Short mmCIF file of all heavy atoms in Angstrom, two decimals:
data_model
loop_
_atom_site.label_atom_id
_atom_site.label_comp_id
_atom_site.label_asym_id
_atom_site.label_seq_id
_atom_site.Cartn_x
_atom_site.Cartn_y
_atom_site.Cartn_z
N ASP H 1412 25.23 19.47 10.69
CA ASP H 1412 25.13 19.78 9.26
C ASP H 1412 24.98 21.29 9.05
O ASP H 1412 25.56 21.85 8.11
CB ASP H 1412 23.93 19.07 8.64
CG ASP H 1412 24.21 17.61 8.33
OD1 ASP H 1412 25.40 17.25 8.26
OD2 ASP H 1412 23.25 16.84 8.15
N ARG H 1413 24.22 21.91 9.91
CA ARG H 1413 24.01 23.36 9.79
C ARG H 1413 25.34 24.09 9.89
O ARG H 1413 25.64 24.98 9.09
CB ARG H 1413 23.05 23.83 10.90
CG ARG H 1413 22.65 25.29 10.81
CD ARG H 1413 21.55 25.50 9.83
NE ARG H 1413 21.08 26.89 9.83
CZ ARG H 1413 20.08 27.31 9.09
NH1 ARG H 1413 19.44 26.47 8.29
NH2 ARG H 1413 19.70 28.56 9.12
N ASP H 1414 26.14 23.74 10.88
CA ASP H 1414 27.43 24.41 11.07
C ASP H 1414 28.40 24.07 9.95
O ASP H 1414 29.04 24.96 9.37
CB ASP H 1414 28.03 24.01 12.42
CG ASP H 1414 27.25 24.58 13.59
OD1 ASP H 1414 26.50 25.55 13.38
OD2 ASP H 1414 27.38 24.04 14.71
N ARG H 1415 28.54 22.78 9.65
CA ARG H 1415 29.53 22.35 8.66
C ARG H 1415 29.20 22.89 7.27
O ARG H 1415 30.07 23.46 6.58
CB ARG H 1415 29.59 20.82 8.63
CG ARG H 1415 30.58 20.25 7.62
CD ARG H 1415 30.63 18.74 7.72
NE ARG H 1415 29.33 18.13 7.50
CZ ARG H 1415 28.83 17.84 6.28
NH1 ARG H 1415 29.54 18.14 5.20
NH2 ARG H 1415 27.65 17.27 6.15
N LEU H 1416 27.96 22.73 6.86
CA LEU H 1416 27.57 23.18 5.53
C LEU H 1416 27.51 24.70 5.46
O LEU H 1416 27.81 25.29 4.42
CB LEU H 1416 26.22 22.57 5.15
CG LEU H 1416 26.23 21.04 5.02
CD1 LEU H 1416 24.81 20.51 4.85
CD2 LEU H 1416 27.10 20.61 3.85
N GLY H 1417 27.13 25.33 6.57
CA GLY H 1417 27.13 26.78 6.61
C GLY H 1417 28.53 27.35 6.44
O GLY H 1417 28.73 28.36 5.74
N ASN H 1418 29.51 26.72 7.06
CA ASN H 1418 30.90 27.17 6.91
C ASN H 1418 31.39 26.99 5.47
O ASN H 1418 32.14 27.82 4.95
CB ASN H 1418 31.81 26.40 7.87
CG ASN H 1418 31.61 26.81 9.31
OD1 ASN H 1418 31.21 27.94 9.59
ND2 ASN H 1418 31.90 25.92 10.24
N ARG H 1419 30.95 25.92 4.82
CA ARG H 1419 31.32 25.72 3.42
C ARG H 1419 30.70 26.79 2.53
O ARG H 1419 31.34 27.29 1.60
CB ARG H 1419 30.90 24.33 2.97
CG ARG H 1419 31.82 23.22 3.50
CD ARG H 1419 31.32 21.85 3.08
NE ARG H 1419 31.11 21.76 1.63
CZ ARG H 1419 30.47 20.76 1.02
NH1 ARG H 1419 29.99 19.76 1.76
NH2 ARG H 1419 30.31 20.75 -0.28
N MET H 1420 29.46 27.18 2.83
CA MET H 1420 28.83 28.26 2.07
C MET H 1420 29.59 29.56 2.25
O MET H 1420 29.82 30.31 1.30
CB MET H 1420 27.38 28.44 2.51
CG MET H 1420 26.43 27.43 1.92
SD MET H 1420 24.70 27.97 2.09
CE MET H 1420 24.48 27.89 3.86
N LEU H 1421 29.97 29.86 3.51
CA LEU H 1421 30.70 31.09 3.79
C LEU H 1421 32.04 31.11 3.06
O LEU H 1421 32.55 32.18 2.70
CB LEU H 1421 30.91 31.25 5.29
CG LEU H 1421 29.69 31.60 6.12
CD1 LEU H 1421 30.01 31.54 7.61
CD2 LEU H 1421 29.16 32.99 5.75
N ALA H 1422 32.61 29.93 2.83
CA ALA H 1422 33.89 29.83 2.12
C ALA H 1422 33.71 29.90 0.61
O ALA H 1422 34.70 29.84 -0.13
CB ALA H 1422 34.59 28.53 2.49
N GLY H 1423 32.46 30.03 0.15
CA GLY H 1423 32.21 30.18 -1.28
C GLY H 1423 31.93 28.89 -2.02
O GLY H 1423 31.81 28.89 -3.25
N GLU H 1424 31.81 27.77 -1.31
CA GLU H 1424 31.53 26.50 -1.97
C GLU H 1424 30.04 26.41 -2.35
O GLU H 1424 29.18 26.96 -1.67
CB GLU H 1424 31.88 25.33 -1.05
CG GLU H 1424 33.36 25.17 -0.76
CD GLU H 1424 33.64 23.90 0.02
OE1 GLU H 1424 33.01 22.86 -0.30
OE2 GLU H 1424 34.47 23.95 0.95
N ARG H 1425 29.77 25.72 -3.43
CA ARG H 1425 28.39 25.50 -3.86
C ARG H 1425 27.92 24.14 -3.34
O ARG H 1425 28.57 23.12 -3.59
CB ARG H 1425 28.28 25.56 -5.38
CG ARG H 1425 26.84 25.46 -5.87
CD ARG H 1425 26.69 25.87 -7.31
NE ARG H 1425 25.31 25.86 -7.73
CZ ARG H 1425 24.45 26.85 -7.50
NH1 ARG H 1425 24.86 27.93 -6.87
NH2 ARG H 1425 23.20 26.78 -7.93
N LEU H 1426 26.82 24.12 -2.65
CA LEU H 1426 26.29 22.89 -2.08
C LEU H 1426 25.38 22.18 -3.07
O LEU H 1426 24.70 22.81 -3.88
CB LEU H 1426 25.50 23.19 -0.80
CG LEU H 1426 26.21 23.96 0.31
CD1 LEU H 1426 25.28 24.08 1.52
CD2 LEU H 1426 27.52 23.30 0.70
N THR H 1427 25.36 20.84 -2.97
CA THR H 1427 24.40 20.09 -3.76
C THR H 1427 23.00 20.35 -3.22
O THR H 1427 22.82 20.86 -2.10
CB THR H 1427 24.70 18.59 -3.70
OG1 THR H 1427 24.46 18.13 -2.35
CG2 THR H 1427 26.15 18.30 -4.10
N LEU H 1428 22.00 19.97 -3.99
CA LEU H 1428 20.62 20.18 -3.55
C LEU H 1428 20.33 19.39 -2.28
O LEU H 1428 19.66 19.90 -1.36
CB LEU H 1428 19.65 19.76 -4.66
CG LEU H 1428 18.18 20.14 -4.46
CD1 LEU H 1428 18.03 21.65 -4.30
CD2 LEU H 1428 17.34 19.64 -5.64
N ASP H 1429 20.87 18.18 -2.18
CA ASP H 1429 20.69 17.40 -0.96
C ASP H 1429 21.34 18.09 0.23
O ASP H 1429 20.76 18.14 1.33
CB ASP H 1429 21.30 16.01 -1.15
CG ASP H 1429 21.22 15.16 0.12
OD1 ASP H 1429 20.11 14.78 0.51
OD2 ASP H 1429 22.29 14.92 0.72
N GLU H 1430 22.52 18.63 0.04
CA GLU H 1430 23.20 19.34 1.13
C GLU H 1430 22.43 20.59 1.53
O GLU H 1430 22.35 20.93 2.72
CB GLU H 1430 24.62 19.69 0.70
CG GLU H 1430 25.55 18.49 0.62
CD GLU H 1430 26.90 18.84 0.02
OE1 GLU H 1430 26.97 19.79 -0.82
OE2 GLU H 1430 27.90 18.18 0.38
N GLN H 1431 21.87 21.28 0.56
CA GLN H 1431 21.07 22.46 0.88
C GLN H 1431 19.86 22.10 1.74
O GLN H 1431 19.53 22.81 2.70
CB GLN H 1431 20.61 23.14 -0.41
CG GLN H 1431 21.73 23.74 -1.25
CD GLN H 1431 21.22 24.30 -2.56
OE1 GLN H 1431 20.11 24.82 -2.64
NE2 GLN H 1431 22.04 24.19 -3.60
N GLN H 1432 19.21 21.00 1.39
CA GLN H 1432 18.06 20.56 2.18
C GLN H 1432 18.47 20.17 3.59
O GLN H 1432 17.77 20.49 4.56
CB GLN H 1432 17.38 19.37 1.48
CG GLN H 1432 16.73 19.71 0.15
CD GLN H 1432 15.40 20.42 0.32
OE1 GLN H 1432 14.99 20.77 1.42
NE2 GLN H 1432 14.71 20.65 -0.79
N ARG H 1433 19.60 19.49 3.72
CA ARG H 1433 20.06 19.09 5.05
C ARG H 1433 20.43 20.32 5.89
O ARG H 1433 20.16 20.36 7.09
CB ARG H 1433 21.25 18.13 4.93
CG ARG H 1433 20.83 16.73 4.54
CD ARG H 1433 21.94 15.72 4.73
NE ARG H 1433 22.91 15.79 3.65
CZ ARG H 1433 24.21 15.91 3.80
NH1 ARG H 1433 24.73 16.02 5.02
NH2 ARG H 1433 25.02 15.93 2.77
N TRP H 1434 21.04 21.31 5.26
CA TRP H 1434 21.37 22.57 5.96
C TRP H 1434 20.09 23.24 6.46
O TRP H 1434 20.01 23.69 7.60
CB TRP H 1434 22.14 23.49 5.02
CG TRP H 1434 22.37 24.86 5.58
CD1 TRP H 1434 23.38 25.24 6.42
CD2 TRP H 1434 21.58 26.03 5.34
NE1 TRP H 1434 23.25 26.58 6.73
CE2 TRP H 1434 22.17 27.09 6.08
CE3 TRP H 1434 20.44 26.30 4.58
CZ2 TRP H 1434 21.65 28.38 6.08
CZ3 TRP H 1434 19.92 27.58 4.58
CH2 TRP H 1434 20.51 28.61 5.32
N ALA H 1435 19.08 23.32 5.61
CA ALA H 1435 17.85 24.03 5.96
C ALA H 1435 17.08 23.33 7.07
O ALA H 1435 16.42 23.99 7.89
CB ALA H 1435 16.96 24.17 4.72
N ASN H 1436 17.13 22.00 7.12
CA ASN H 1436 16.34 21.25 8.09
C ASN H 1436 17.07 20.93 9.38
O ASN H 1436 16.47 20.40 10.31
CB ASN H 1436 15.83 19.95 7.45
CG ASN H 1436 14.69 20.20 6.49
OD1 ASN H 1436 13.59 20.52 6.90
ND2 ASN H 1436 14.96 20.05 5.20
N ASP H 1437 18.36 21.28 9.45
CA ASP H 1437 19.13 21.00 10.66
C ASP H 1437 19.11 22.21 11.59
O ASP H 1437 20.14 22.71 12.04
CB ASP H 1437 20.58 20.64 10.28
CG ASP H 1437 21.34 20.04 11.47
OD1 ASP H 1437 20.68 19.61 12.44
OD2 ASP H 1437 22.58 20.00 11.41
N SER H 1438 17.92 22.68 11.85
CA SER H 1438 17.72 23.84 12.72
C SER H 1438 16.29 23.76 13.23
O SER H 1438 15.70 22.68 13.28
CB SER H 1438 17.97 25.14 11.95
OG SER H 1438 17.83 26.27 12.79
N LEU H 1439 15.72 24.91 13.58
CA LEU H 1439 14.35 24.86 14.09
C LEU H 1439 13.39 24.40 13.00
O LEU H 1439 13.56 24.70 11.83
CB LEU H 1439 13.91 26.22 14.61
CG LEU H 1439 13.36 27.22 13.57
CD1 LEU H 1439 12.33 28.11 14.21
CD2 LEU H 1439 14.47 28.02 12.95
N ARG H 1440 12.39 23.66 13.39
CA ARG H 1440 11.24 23.33 12.56
C ARG H 1440 9.99 23.55 13.41
O ARG H 1440 10.06 23.53 14.63
CB ARG H 1440 11.33 21.88 12.08
CG ARG H 1440 12.42 21.65 11.04
CD ARG H 1440 12.65 20.19 10.70
NE ARG H 1440 13.21 19.47 11.84
CZ ARG H 1440 12.54 18.59 12.58
NH1 ARG H 1440 11.27 18.32 12.32
NH2 ARG H 1440 13.13 17.99 13.60
N VAL H 1441 8.88 23.77 12.74
CA VAL H 1441 7.63 24.06 13.45
C VAL H 1441 6.52 23.22 12.83
O VAL H 1441 5.66 23.72 12.09
CB VAL H 1441 7.29 25.57 13.39
CG1 VAL H 1441 6.26 25.93 14.45
CG2 VAL H 1441 8.53 26.42 13.54
N PRO H 1442 6.51 21.91 13.10
CA PRO H 1442 5.56 21.01 12.43
C PRO H 1442 4.09 21.40 12.64
O PRO H 1442 3.28 21.29 11.71
CB PRO H 1442 5.87 19.65 13.06
CG PRO H 1442 7.28 19.76 13.54
CD PRO H 1442 7.44 21.18 13.98
N ASP H 1443 3.75 21.85 13.86
CA ASP H 1443 2.34 22.19 14.12
C ASP H 1443 1.90 23.38 13.28
O ASP H 1443 0.72 23.45 12.87
CB ASP H 1443 2.14 22.50 15.60
CG ASP H 1443 2.23 21.25 16.47
OD1 ASP H 1443 2.25 20.14 15.91
OD2 ASP H 1443 2.29 21.40 17.71
N LEU H 1444 2.79 24.31 13.01
CA LEU H 1444 2.47 25.43 12.14
C LEU H 1444 2.25 24.93 10.71
O LEU H 1444 1.31 25.36 10.02
CB LEU H 1444 3.61 26.46 12.18
CG LEU H 1444 3.54 27.61 11.16
CD1 LEU H 1444 2.25 28.41 11.31
CD2 LEU H 1444 4.77 28.51 11.29
N TRP H 1445 3.11 24.02 10.26
CA TRP H 1445 2.98 23.45 8.91
C TRP H 1445 1.62 22.78 8.76
O TRP H 1445 0.90 22.98 7.76
CB TRP H 1445 4.11 22.46 8.67
CG TRP H 1445 4.25 22.00 7.25
CD1 TRP H 1445 5.03 22.53 6.27
CD2 TRP H 1445 3.59 20.86 6.67
NE1 TRP H 1445 4.89 21.81 5.11
CE2 TRP H 1445 4.01 20.77 5.32
CE3 TRP H 1445 2.69 19.91 7.15
CZ2 TRP H 1445 3.57 19.79 4.46
CZ3 TRP H 1445 2.22 18.91 6.28
CH2 TRP H 1445 2.67 18.87 4.96
N PHE H 1446 1.23 21.98 9.75
CA PHE H 1446 -0.05 21.27 9.66
C PHE H 1446 -1.23 22.25 9.76
O PHE H 1446 -2.27 22.03 9.12
CB PHE H 1446 -0.14 20.19 10.75
CG PHE H 1446 0.61 18.94 10.41
CD1 PHE H 1446 1.76 18.61 11.09
CD2 PHE H 1446 0.16 18.11 9.39
CE1 PHE H 1446 2.46 17.45 10.77
CE2 PHE H 1446 0.85 16.94 9.07
CZ PHE H 1446 2.02 16.62 9.76
N HIS H 1447 -1.07 23.31 10.54
CA HIS H 1447 -2.15 24.30 10.63
C HIS H 1447 -2.40 24.92 9.26
O HIS H 1447 -3.57 25.06 8.84
CB HIS H 1447 -1.80 25.39 11.65
CG HIS H 1447 -2.80 26.51 11.68
ND1 HIS H 1447 -3.97 26.44 12.42
CD2 HIS H 1447 -2.82 27.72 11.06
CE1 HIS H 1447 -4.67 27.55 12.25
NE2 HIS H 1447 -3.99 28.35 11.42
N VAL H 1448 -1.34 25.31 8.57
CA VAL H 1448 -1.50 25.92 7.26
C VAL H 1448 -2.00 24.89 6.24
O VAL H 1448 -2.82 25.20 5.36
CB VAL H 1448 -0.18 26.57 6.79
CG1 VAL H 1448 -0.27 27.02 5.33
CG2 VAL H 1448 0.16 27.76 7.69
N LEU H 1449 -1.54 23.64 6.36
CA LEU H 1449 -2.04 22.59 5.48
C LEU H 1449 -3.55 22.41 5.65
O LEU H 1449 -4.30 22.31 4.66
CB LEU H 1449 -1.32 21.27 5.78
CG LEU H 1449 -1.77 20.05 4.96
CD1 LEU H 1449 -1.38 20.21 3.50
CD2 LEU H 1449 -1.17 18.77 5.54
N ASP H 1450 -4.00 22.40 6.90
CA ASP H 1450 -5.42 22.13 7.18
C ASP H 1450 -6.30 23.35 7.01
O ASP H 1450 -7.49 23.21 6.67
CB ASP H 1450 -5.57 21.59 8.61
CG ASP H 1450 -4.91 20.24 8.81
OD1 ASP H 1450 -4.70 19.53 7.79
OD2 ASP H 1450 -4.58 19.90 9.96
N HIS H 1451 -5.75 24.55 7.26
CA HIS H 1451 -6.59 25.75 7.29
C HIS H 1451 -6.18 26.81 6.27
O HIS H 1451 -6.71 27.92 6.31
CB HIS H 1451 -6.56 26.36 8.70
CG HIS H 1451 -7.03 25.44 9.78
ND1 HIS H 1451 -8.37 25.18 10.01
CD2 HIS H 1451 -6.33 24.70 10.69
CE1 HIS H 1451 -8.49 24.32 11.01
NE2 HIS H 1451 -7.27 24.02 11.45
N GLY H 1452 -5.26 26.48 5.39
CA GLY H 1452 -4.78 27.47 4.43
C GLY H 1452 -5.88 28.09 3.59
O GLY H 1452 -5.83 29.28 3.26
N ASP H 1453 -6.90 27.29 3.26
CA ASP H 1453 -8.00 27.82 2.45
C ASP H 1453 -8.85 28.84 3.22
O ASP H 1453 -9.68 29.53 2.62
CB ASP H 1453 -8.90 26.68 1.98
CG ASP H 1453 -8.22 25.82 0.91
OD1 ASP H 1453 -7.31 26.34 0.25
OD2 ASP H 1453 -8.61 24.64 0.76
N ASP H 1454 -8.65 28.94 4.54
CA ASP H 1454 -9.40 29.91 5.33
C ASP H 1454 -8.83 31.32 5.18
O ASP H 1454 -9.47 32.30 5.60
CB ASP H 1454 -9.36 29.54 6.82
CG ASP H 1454 -10.03 28.20 7.11
OD1 ASP H 1454 -10.81 27.74 6.25
OD2 ASP H 1454 -9.76 27.62 8.17
#
């Protein structure tokens, strides 16, 4: 999805919101960092 949707963006196409989310999440994610900030953000 990252490659296919990225190529469509480079070609000037506008992606739907669902496609944008799939593009963003089809790469690295760092769940432990997300949970750290969720649990300790107030610190």
